[in-house]
Amino acid sequence: MKEKLEMLLDELIFLKQQGVTSIYLQDSTLHAFKTTFNQLISSDHPESSAKIISTPISLPTSASSHIASHQPQIDLPEGDKEVQWNFLRDKVLNCSICNSHIKTGTKVVFGVGNLDADIFFCGEAPGADEEIQGKPFVGKAGQLLTKIIQAMGLRREDVYIGNIMNWRPEVPALFGNRPPTQEEMNFCLPYLKAQLTIVKPKVIVALGATAVNGLLGIDNKRRMGDIRGKWFEFQNVPLMVTFHPSYLLRNDTLYAKRQVWEDMLKVMEHLNFPISDKQRIFFQ
């Protein structure tokens, strides 16, 4: 039951990111959801069950001004890419702001991959699996991303994978995810830019709306359906926008898979990668 509620919350967050401002629910549906949610909470915290639903839930804001006033300044040391990457990784993993936002037993998440990669895959924020292992894209969405990379004729070790955020955004509940705020993304952006400076990729692939917002800035008029598959630019590097792998997990259709694959074909063509006839007809 808990897993289903998590899936529901993730779907609502996804709809909000796509610009959906309202959905219709029958009174019976709302009542059933409230009853189920209270039963779930009461099984773990009986004393809280009566007020979970009735109390308005707001996202944490107390740290926003603190984050905004402490954007990191990064001066990469002299040396090769490995020296610079190790310096940056140590700086991120020991960042006091980053560490103040993680739960006990979890980790700050830093990018991984080939420091000479042509492709830099940029995701949004760590999830439950990522904050435990301290690595990006290691959950179900990460497994799917690995399959996409393999379909391109590459290995995960051939690319670089990072996130807009270095920690999993806190939620005022026992479970669930939320998109990072603009302040949170702005704080972590210098760390991402420094990784790009070190790797010097030929293409950035922005995975999902949050990654796009973090890289290009929030635009309430922008819709993933309109910009997916189009080229932009960030830090003078060509930027391809596509859906996040989690979108494909929620929309397991040939049409959705083909959309993402067409975006990857554009990336491969831009990089002059060999593309076989078999690759061209994937998911048709």
Side-chain angles (χ1 to χ4, degrees):
M1 180 61 68
K2 189 173 182 179
E3 181 180 353
K4 291 182 179 179
L5 287 174
E6 288 179 341
M7 291 174 63
L8 174 60
L9 182 59
D10 287 344
E11 184 64 21
L12 291 175
I13 291 173
F14 171 76
L15 290 174
K16 181 179 179 181
Q17 291 174 336
Q18 303 308 305
V20 176
T21 58
S22 63
I23 58 174
Y24 174 74
L25 290 176
Q26 294 182 344
D27 289 342
S28 58
T29 302
L30 191 59
H31 176 73
F33 176 73
K34 178 177 178 179
T35 300
T36 302
F37 190 81
N38 273 331
Q39 289 175 346
L40 177 63
I41 298 299
S42 62
S43 65
D44 294 326
H45 298 274
E47 72 283 359
S48 303
S49 61
K51 57 185 179 182
I52 290 294
I53 295 295
S54 60
T55 302
I57 294 177
S58 58
L59 297 179
T61 58
S62 59
S64 295
S65 59
H66 181 61
I67 291 175
S69 62
H70 289 78
Q71 192 175 53
Q73 300 297 316
I74 302 169
D75 295 312
L76 294 173
E78 296 292 331
D80 59 21
K81 288 187 174 186
E82 186 172 357
V83 168
Q84 293 180 329
W85 186 84
N86 284 327
F87 166 85
L88 182 62
R89 181 177 183 271
D90 182 69
K91 187 175 183 68
V92 172
L93 296 186
N94 290 286
C95 169
S96 60
I97 298 294
C98 296
N99 280 282
S100 70
H101 287 275
I102 63 174
K103 299 187 295 292
T104 301
T106 64
K107 301 176 182 178
V108 174
V109 178
F110 189 62
V112 296
N114 191 328
L115 299 184
D116 293 311
D118 289 332
I119 306 174
F120 189 118
F121 286 96
C122 181
E124 42 190 51
D129 294 306
E130 287 74 21
E131 70 175 355
I132 291 174
Q133 297 189 38
K135 297 179 180 179
F137 283 93
V138 293
K140 291 182 179 179
Q143 294 169 16
L144 182 53
L145 177 61
T146 298
K147 291 181 180 179
I148 293 172
I149 293 169
Q150 291 172 342
M152 298 172 72
L154 302 170
R155 301 170 303 162
R156 190 175 169 110
E157 296 78 14
D158 296 325
V159 304
Y160 193 89
I161 302 174
N163 277 323
I164 289 292
M165 289 286 295
N166 299 111
W167 68 82
R168 184 184 182 189
E170 307 101 310
V171 292
L174 298 178
F175 55 84
N177 298 307
R178 68 166 174 84
T181 65
Q182 184 70 65
E183 290 80 7
E184 289 170 331
M185 291 190 292
N186 287 346
F187 175 83
C188 291
L189 193 57
Y191 290 142
L192 181 68
K193 288 181 176 179
Q195 290 173 82
L196 289 167
T197 298
I198 295 170
V199 178
K200 294 180 175 59
K202 296 178 181 178
V203 170
I204 302 169
V205 177
L207 300 167
T210 298
V212 174
N213 288 337
L215 294 169
L216 302 182
I218 292 178
D219 182 351
N220 293 329
K221 296 181 180 179
R222 186 167 56 215
R223 298 290 180 268
M224 279 296 293
D226 297 329
I227 64 173
R228 187 232 103 229
K230 295 183 178 179
W231 288 101
F232 294 85
E233 191 173 275
F234 182 76
Q235 297 281 95
N236 297 317
V237 180
L239 169 68
M240 170 57 63
V241 175
T242 194
F243 292 125
H244 194 280
S246 62
Y247 173 83
L248 297 181
L249 294 177
R250 293 189 296 265
N251 299 270
D252 187 17
T253 65
L254 280 177
Y255 178 71
K257 292 176 181 178
R258 180 63 192 182
Q259 285 182 305
V260 172
W261 183 242
E262 287 176 353
D263 302 340
M264 296 305 99
L265 287 176
K266 291 179 182 179
V267 170
M268 294 169 69
E269 289 171 349
H270 180 86
L271 295 171
N272 293 317
F273 285 2
I275 304 175
S276 67
D277 292 338
K278 181 179 179 180
Q279 286 174 309
R280 289 194 182 278
I281 62 173
F282 280 168
F283 309 115
Q284 283 188 342

